[in-house]
């Protein structure tokens, strides 16, 4: 049968032939309880399935199909198929009735299978049972795999219905009289002549055979033990071959087991020894059944766990949990073939120094992994001495390894090698045929899972790259705020999320603090996050009020569709007013940490999420001390580890209180020192709130801002009349203020700027008119009026007497713009400060004013 299979063309048939040869080798002398599950393992591996079942029909052909072997599936999942009526609609019954292959493309057992395929077990008078495999891949098996199933079914049918078929004759002259002294032996003993007549039996033999002394002279086949076909076959064989033979004998209807020893006598006849080994046999069978059941359960658990593994690291973790313990292994390395080199995916029981020695070894080098991948055959190295004999050039690797035995299992998926699974053992050991067969079957399951995980890893890496590319690469450092942030991708799950944060400098040293979360997971959500972040930056440049900005964002999210929502928090910090204006859409308010260590959450109302809200949005103004910490986060940070969001926010507050009690986060030193402490605080919060990030299913964002107020001496106000005198008064105010700040170099430019701005207000706007100067990292000039008219640069003709003022403003200032207020507008300009030495600036980069 195997030769016929191997003669067929095609790679799949070649692999099927190899599986049959492996099956015949592994199951040669094994009992059916071991051999039949091995057949199921090969059939399951050949179809990349989840598990297999073998049903047998009673000899009469009228009874139900009984489950006689199981592989890769816990018994509890197939309880309904333990006995199947011959008229049932289940695939095994249909295969027996029709005597042909049956395919059903649905998960009939509810265990996540893609389909069920059954083939009949052939018999002389028709099918005697069915072999069934639950497939993991969608689609009907191809013809080559169906032929493999039929071949394995034929092999299994032979094991179920065959018995020994040996025969022969012998001659002899009768028993040796010396054996009469054996009458008192505890073990049974008898002799037979060449005609199989009993010539002697002791009392123990009478008990074993269930006869009395009258059995002398009877033919051996006339006593109950002789009715057992195996007894006659073995006796004739030992007589014919003139060689001792030992076997175990169980009589029908009798649970006792006798170990029978046949010894040919010098001339003819046989001496037959009986020993009752029922207790030992029961122990052996119990241990064997227990071991087989444990291995079957382990493989079943492994199969289920691998179907749930998402990433490559998940696959390695599952193998470590379900494969290493049953074999007593303490080391594992899973490697993937990439670009002609063997790369380490993950490991257990090895340090980074050793892994660096084996990571990236070319496939062409003479290594055990390379040999296993080239030959596609598992390699078992039972000692360090054997390893050195085979791979002497890798002596340095074995010196640094504490292992003494290895199993190198090639991982083959879709007919091509994709990597290698290496199990290692602290002590040298041998590998039984059963272990080798089981590990080979396991490698097939691991290969399929690793290939699926590789595709997931590629997509997940691309998605995370997209998301990280949309987040700020670094946060700016405006004068009034130092900040640190963290984005934490989900530790498990299929998709990325839509969390984001941002920090945007505004005019007058104000800062916009942004954090949001697009609900859902996936590439679409990450792209939506990028669109919203771009929209926020565009709207912020227009200097919109928080409620108006949220109104525009709500329209954008609403236009995406009914299934799109986003939580959003927008805060504007004003260092002069020492206030923070908050607008919240489905997002919790920030936690505020005061300089004295007090931690509180502002009691403010929260509007519904973007996409579900109806404007107007509420804006809340929170007064802040001179220095404070604002802590913003998304729900992935606090709504995790089995707690709800309220519990998470309470834990965040406690963690902040403890951290602030230990360390000051309001140092008077350099800006980089403040940032370093904020970075450390971010790490502490993440480690405390998400101690096991690998188990989280949602991404998270965290933004911490250290706010500073503008000193009163760096702010100067001046009210101006709404008449032509205003420009002169403004110039006079500028000269006095710049002299006090030591910025005389900027007097001429600043006078020109305020003259143009104030003159435009007097001519085109309405009062009241006010001028404000801010001394920061730049010199900021602001002119306020009561008009909502937008100033704009226009093209002036050659003969026009006006229209060039804003051209002059744009040319003289570093930046300029307009922001609208509830009762008017503000036109502002920024100028760079004169270059000075580092020693002449304060820790915020400002030139110290004379008043200080």
């Amino acid at each position: 049968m195997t030769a016929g299979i191997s003669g067929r063309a095609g790679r799949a048939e070649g692999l099927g032939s190899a599986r049959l040869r492996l099956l015949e080798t592994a199951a040669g002398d094994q009992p059916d309880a071991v051999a039949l599950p091995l057949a199921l393992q090969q059939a399951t591996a050949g179809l990349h399935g989840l598990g297999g079942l073998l049903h047998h029909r009673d000899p009469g052909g009228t009874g139900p199909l009984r489950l006689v072997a199981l592989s890769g599936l816990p018994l509890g999942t197939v309880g309904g198929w333990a006995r199947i009526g011959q008229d049932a609609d289940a695939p095994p019954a249909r295969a027996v009735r029709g005597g042909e292959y049956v395919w059903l493309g649905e998960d009939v057992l509810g265990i996540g299978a893609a389909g069920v395929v059954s083939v009949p077990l052939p018999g002389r008078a028709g099918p005697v049972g069915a072999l069934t495999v639950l497939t993991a891949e969608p689609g009907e098996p191809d013809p080559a795999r169906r032929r493999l199933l039929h071949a394995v079914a034929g092999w299994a049918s032979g094991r179920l219905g065959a018995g020994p078929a040996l025969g022969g004759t012998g001659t002899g002259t009768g028993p040796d009289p010396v054996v009469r002294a054996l009458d008192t032996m505890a073990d049974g003993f008898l002799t037979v002549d060449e005609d199989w007549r009993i010539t002697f039996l002791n009392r123990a033999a009478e008990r074993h055979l269930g006869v009395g002394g009258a059995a002398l002279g009877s033919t051996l086949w006339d006593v109950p033990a002789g009715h057992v076909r195996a007894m006659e076959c073995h006796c004739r064989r030992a007589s014919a071959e003139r060689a001792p033979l030992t076997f175990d004998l169980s009589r029908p209807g009798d649970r006792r087991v006798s170990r029978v020893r046949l010894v040919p006598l010098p001339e003819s006849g046989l001496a037959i020894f009986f020993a009752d080994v029922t207790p030992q046999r029961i122990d052996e069978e119990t241990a064997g059944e227990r071991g087989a059941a444990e291995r079957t359960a382990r493989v079943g658990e492994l199969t289920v766990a691998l179907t749930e593994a998402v990433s490559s690291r998940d696959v390695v973790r599952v193998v470590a949990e379900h494969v290493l313990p049953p074999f007593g292994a303490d080391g594992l390395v899973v490697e993937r073939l990439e670009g002609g080199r063997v790369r380490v995916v993950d490991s257990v029981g090895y340090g980074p120094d050793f892994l660096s020695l084996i990571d990236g070894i070319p496939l062409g080098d003479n290594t055990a992994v390379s040999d296993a991948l080239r030959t596609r055959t598992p390699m078992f190295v039972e000692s360090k001495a054997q390893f050195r004999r085979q791979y002497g050039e890798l002596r340095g690797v074995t010196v640094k390894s504490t292992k003494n035995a290895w199993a190198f299992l090639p991982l083959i998926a879709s007919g091509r090698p994709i990597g290698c699974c290496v199990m290692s053992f602290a002590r040298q050991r041998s590998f039984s045929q059963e272990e080798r067969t089981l590990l080979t079957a396991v490698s097939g399951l691991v290969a399929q899972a690793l290939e699926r995980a590789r595709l997931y890893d590629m997509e997940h890496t691309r998605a995370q790259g997209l998301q990280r590319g949309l987040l700020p690469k670094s946060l700016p450092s405006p004068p009034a705020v130092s900040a640190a942030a963290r984005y934490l991708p989900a530790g498990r799950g299929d998709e990325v999320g839509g969390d984001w944060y941002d920090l945007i400098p505004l005019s007058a040293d104000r800062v916009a603090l942004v954090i949001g979360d697009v609900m859902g997971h996936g590439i679409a959500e990450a792209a939506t996050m990028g669109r919203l972040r771009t929209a926020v930056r565009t709207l912020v440049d227009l200097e919109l009020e928080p409620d108006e900005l949220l109104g525009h964002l709500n329209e954008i999210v609403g236009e995406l569709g009914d299934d799109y929502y986003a939580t959003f928090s927008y805060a504007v910090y004003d260092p002069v007013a020492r206030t923070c204006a908050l607008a919240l859409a489905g997002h919790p308010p920030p936690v505020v940490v005061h300089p004295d260590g007090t931690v509180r959450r502002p009691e403010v109302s929260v509007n519904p999420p973007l996409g579900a809200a109806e404007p107007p949005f509420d804006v809340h103004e929170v007064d802040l001390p001179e220095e404070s910490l604002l802590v913003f986060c998304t729900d992935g940070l606090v709504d995790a580890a089995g707690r709800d969001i309220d519990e998470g926010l309470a834990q965040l507050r406690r963690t902040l209180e403890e951290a602030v009690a230990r360390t000051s986060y309001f140092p008077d030193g350099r800006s980089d020192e403040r940032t370093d402490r904020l970075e450390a605080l971010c790490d502490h919060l993440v480690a405390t709130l998400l101690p096991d990030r690998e188990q989280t299913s949602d991404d998270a964002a965290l933004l911490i801002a250290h706010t500073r107020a503008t000193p009163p001496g760096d702010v100067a106000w001046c009210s101006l009349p709404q008449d032509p005198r205003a420009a002169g008064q403004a110039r006079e105010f500028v000269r006095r203020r710049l002299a006090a700040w030591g910025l005389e170099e900027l007097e001429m430019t600043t006078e020109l700027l305020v003259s143009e701005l104030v003159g435009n207000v007097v001519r085109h706007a309405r009062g009241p008119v006010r001028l404000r100067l801010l001394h920061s990292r730049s010199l900021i000039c602001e002119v306020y009026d009561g008009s909502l008219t937008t100033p704009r640069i226009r093209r002036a003709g050659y003969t026009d007497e006006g229209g060039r003022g804003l051209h002059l403003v744009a040319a003289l200032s570093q930046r300029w713009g307009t922001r609208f207020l509830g009762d008017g507008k503000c036109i502002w300009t920024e100028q760079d400060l004169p270059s000075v030495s580092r020693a002449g600036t304060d820790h915020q980069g400002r030139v110290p004013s004379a008043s200080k």
Side-chain angles (χ1 to χ4, degrees):
M1 183 183 298
T2 304
I5 293 294
S6 63
R8 293 184 174 92
R11 180 183 299 274
E13 288 148 324
L15 292 175
S17 176
R19 292 192 181 280
L20 282 177
R21 289 197 300 272
L22 178 62
L23 174 61
E24 291 178 348
T25 301
D29 296 327
Q30 300 290 344
D32 289 351
V34 175
L36 295 178
L38 290 178
L40 287 176
Q41 290 168 13
Q42 293 302 320
T44 301
L47 265 70
H48 305 153
L50 298 178
L53 309 94
L54 194 68
H55 288 85
H56 188 232
R57 185 167 62 176
D58 290 334
T62 58
L65 297 176
R66 295 179 297 105
L67 181 64
V68 296
L70 180 68
S71 175
L73 300 169
L75 185 59
T77 64
V78 296
W81 280 13
R83 292 171 63 88
I84 302 176
Q86 294 193 34
D87 296 330
D89 192 44
R94 290 165 54 187
V96 172
R97 286 199 306 273
E100 60 185 6
Y101 152 90
V102 173
W103 158 253
L104 185 63
E106 60 182 82
D107 183 13
V108 294
L109 290 180
I111 62 172
V116 182
V117 57
S118 291
V119 296
L121 302 181
R124 293 181 180 178
V128 297
L131 185 150
T132 303
V133 173
L134 303 178
T135 64
E137 299 178 347
E140 185 175 0
D142 57 36
R145 289 190 168 88
R146 295 202 296 269
R147 285 192 288 270
L148 170 63
L149 278 183
H150 282 292
V152 175
W155 185 93
S157 179
R159 287 300 295 252
L160 282 168
L166 302 172
T169 59
T171 60
T173 59
D176 191 325
V178 177
V179 299
R180 297 184 182 276
L182 303 176
D183 186 47
T184 58
M185 286 177 56
D187 291 342
F189 175 77
L190 64 86
T191 59
V192 294
D193 61 16
E194 70 275 13
D195 295 323
W196 306 105
R197 290 191 303 272
I198 299 174
T199 58
F200 173 83
L201 75 166
N202 65 2
R203 287 188 292 272
E206 293 176 2
R207 292 193 299 270
H208 279 287
L209 299 177
V211 298
L216 284 173
S218 301
T219 303
L220 179 61
W221 322 129
D222 293 334
V223 301
H227 296 167
V228 182
R229 183 167 181 259
M231 181 71 178
E232 181 176 355
C233 291
H234 284 90
C235 287
R236 294 187 182 280
R237 176 184 173 187
S239 178
E241 296 178 358
R242 309 304 298 163
L245 184 64
T246 302
F247 63 96
D248 288 346
L249 178 68
S250 298
R251 287 176 294 179
D254 189 352
R255 298 191 59 186
R256 309 300 296 180
V257 179
S258 299
R259 183 149 296 161
V260 182
R261 173 74 170 168
L262 305 178
V263 180
L265 294 175
E267 295 181 1
S268 63
L270 289 176
I272 305 175
F273 298 83
F274 290 88
D276 189 349
V277 294
T278 302
Q280 298 95 310
R281 185 63 176 271
I282 292 176
D283 291 343
E284 291 173 2
E285 290 180 352
T286 302
E289 291 171 359
R290 190 164 51 244
E294 181 180 354
R295 287 189 293 272
T296 300
R298 287 280 188 174
V299 173
E301 292 169 1
L302 172 67
T303 303
V304 174
L306 285 176
T307 60
E308 298 174 353
V310 176
S311 67
S312 298
R313 293 182 179 273
D314 290 340
V315 173
V316 177
R317 175 182 54 79
V318 168
V319 174
E321 291 178 359
H322 295 276
V323 179
L324 298 191
F327 292 92
D330 57 2
L332 175 69
V333 179
V334 175
E335 299 171 285
R336 180 182 289 144
L337 188 58
E338 295 179 358
R341 292 181 176 271
V342 182
R343 300 288 183 182
V344 174
V345 174
D346 204 358
S347 66
V348 174
Y350 290 94
D353 292 341
F354 179 80
L355 294 176
S356 65
L357 293 176
I358 62 174
D359 189 23
I361 293 179
L363 182 62
D365 287 5
N366 181 30
T367 67
V369 171
S370 299
D371 286 351
L373 288 174
R374 280 195 298 267
T375 63
R376 303 186 180 189
T377 303
M379 295 189 59
F380 299 93
V381 180
E382 300 182 344
S383 67
K384 189 171 287 188
Q386 179 187 347
F387 188 95
R388 289 173 176 171
R389 285 195 303 270
Q390 293 180 237
Y391 306 100
E393 63 273 22
L394 298 178
R395 182 177 297 271
V397 175
T398 59
V399 169
K400 293 184 178 294
S401 173
T402 59
K403 311 303 181 183
N404 287 278
W406 298 265
F408 297 91
L409 309 174
L411 303 178
I412 311 297
S414 301
R416 60 184 181 84
I418 64 168
C420 190
C421 176
V422 184
M423 292 174 53
S424 55
F425 305 81
R427 298 181 180 180
Q428 65 182 41
R429 58 160 295 174
S430 59
F431 297 88
S432 67
Q433 190 60 51
E434 179 189 1
E435 289 175 327
R436 296 179 183 226
T437 302
L438 187 57
L439 286 174
T440 302
V442 165
S443 68
L445 298 175
V446 175
Q448 297 301 319
L450 190 65
E451 182 68 359
R452 291 194 305 269
R454 182 186 67 83
L455 298 176
Y456 164 81
D457 290 340
M458 291 173 58
E459 291 300 318
H460 197 62
T461 299
R462 291 193 188 103
Q464 286 192 347
L466 167 66
Q467 190 171 42
R468 291 188 180 278
L470 295 173
L471 291 172
K473 292 181 173 59
S474 62
L475 295 176
S477 299
V481 171
S482 298
R486 293 288 184 274
Y487 169 70
L488 310 166
R492 57 182 172 86
D494 297 335
E495 304 286 358
V496 296
D499 291 17
W500 91 95
Y501 59 85
D502 214 339
L503 187 149
I504 308 171
L506 304 174
S507 61
D509 281 354
R510 296 173 309 125
V511 178
L513 301 163
V514 176
I515 194 164
D517 180 6
V518 177
M519 296 183 184
H521 298 86
I523 296 291
E525 283 71 14
T528 300
M529 175 269 286
R531 295 171 65 179
L532 291 181
R533 179 172 180 260
T534 302
V536 169
R537 283 195 158 263
T538 302
L539 295 172
V540 166
D541 284 343
L542 299 177
E543 298 271 8
L544 299 179
E545 291 295 306
D547 56 339
E548 188 176 358
L549 184 142
L550 261 67
H552 286 293
L553 285 181
N554 189 59
E555 293 177 1
I556 293 173
V557 175
E559 291 173 356
L560 296 176
D562 295 337
D563 296 331
Y564 283 87
Y565 303 97
T567 65
F568 184 70
S569 172
Y570 182 69
V572 176
Y573 173 64
D574 187 340
V576 176
R578 302 180 185 180
T579 60
C580 182
L582 281 173
L584 305 168
H587 208 92
V591 178
V592 182
V593 182
H594 291 200
D596 62 359
T598 303
V599 179
R600 68 183 184 89
R601 287 177 58 199
E603 297 294 333
V604 297
S605 60
V606 178
N607 296 109
L610 300 176
E614 290 290 339
F617 288 89
D618 299 323
V619 179
H620 308 276
E621 194 166 276
V622 179
D623 294 324
L624 296 178
E626 184 170 350
E627 291 191 84
S628 301
L629 294 183
L630 292 172
V631 181
F632 300 83
C633 68
T634 57
D635 60 355
L637 184 70
V638 292
D639 187 9
R643 58 176 180 257
D644 61 32
I645 191 168
D646 291 331
E647 294 173 339
L649 289 171
Q651 185 177 359
L652 172 62
R653 180 171 177 172
R654 290 193 301 270
T655 305
L656 284 169
E657 289 173 344
E658 296 168 357
V660 173
R662 291 193 304 268
T663 305
S664 172
Y665 292 94
F666 308 97
D668 294 329
R670 303 181 310 276
S671 176
D672 56 354
E673 182 181 354
R674 289 192 296 271
T675 303
D676 289 344
R677 294 196 183 185
L678 293 180
E679 296 284 352
L681 181 58
C682 282
D683 292 336
H684 176 66
L685 292 178
V686 169
T688 303
L689 294 170
L690 297 178
D692 190 4
R693 281 181 50 200
E694 293 300 321
Q695 297 302 313
T696 59
S697 57
D698 193 9
D699 54 348
L702 170 67
L703 174 64
I704 304 178
H706 174 200
T707 63
R708 294 180 297 279
T710 302
D714 289 337
V715 183
W717 283 94
C718 176
S719 296
L720 300 172
Q722 194 177 1
D723 59 42
R725 296 174 302 164
Q729 293 179 12
R731 289 192 295 272
E732 177 61 27
F733 176 74
V734 166
R735 285 193 294 270
R736 291 197 311 269
R737 193 70 263 171
L738 294 187
W741 286 340
L743 300 176
E744 290 86 350
E745 294 182 39
L746 298 179
E747 282 185 6
M748 181 178 296
T749 305
T750 309
E751 286 183 27
L752 286 172
L753 288 171
V754 298
S755 292
E756 287 296 331
L757 296 179
V758 172
N760 280 340
V761 169
V762 171
R763 287 191 298 271
H764 305 294
R766 63 174 182 267
V769 183
R770 292 181 298 164
L771 170 65
R772 185 172 76 167
L773 298 180
L774 296 178
H775 178 205
S776 183
R777 293 181 186 172
S778 60
L779 178 62
I780 302 169
C781 301
E782 298 177 323
V783 175
Y784 295 80
D785 64 59
S787 171
L788 295 178
T789 304
T790 303
R792 57 187 179 86
I793 296 178
R794 65 182 179 87
R795 185 183 300 277
Y798 289 109
T799 59
D800 290 348
E801 296 182 358
R804 299 177 178 85
L806 291 181
H807 285 280
L808 181 62
V809 170
L812 294 177
S813 60
Q814 186 69 24
R815 293 196 310 150
W816 77 282
T818 305
R819 69 176 182 270
F820 292 91
L821 311 171
D823 55 355
K825 70 175 181 295
C826 168
I827 306 175
W828 54 270
T829 66
E830 286 188 15
Q831 303 171 72
D832 287 341
L833 299 182
S835 58
V836 294
S837 66
R838 182 177 297 274
T841 61
D842 67 6
H843 66 273
Q844 294 188 26
R846 297 189 299 254
V847 179
S849 64
S851 63
K852 297 181 183 178

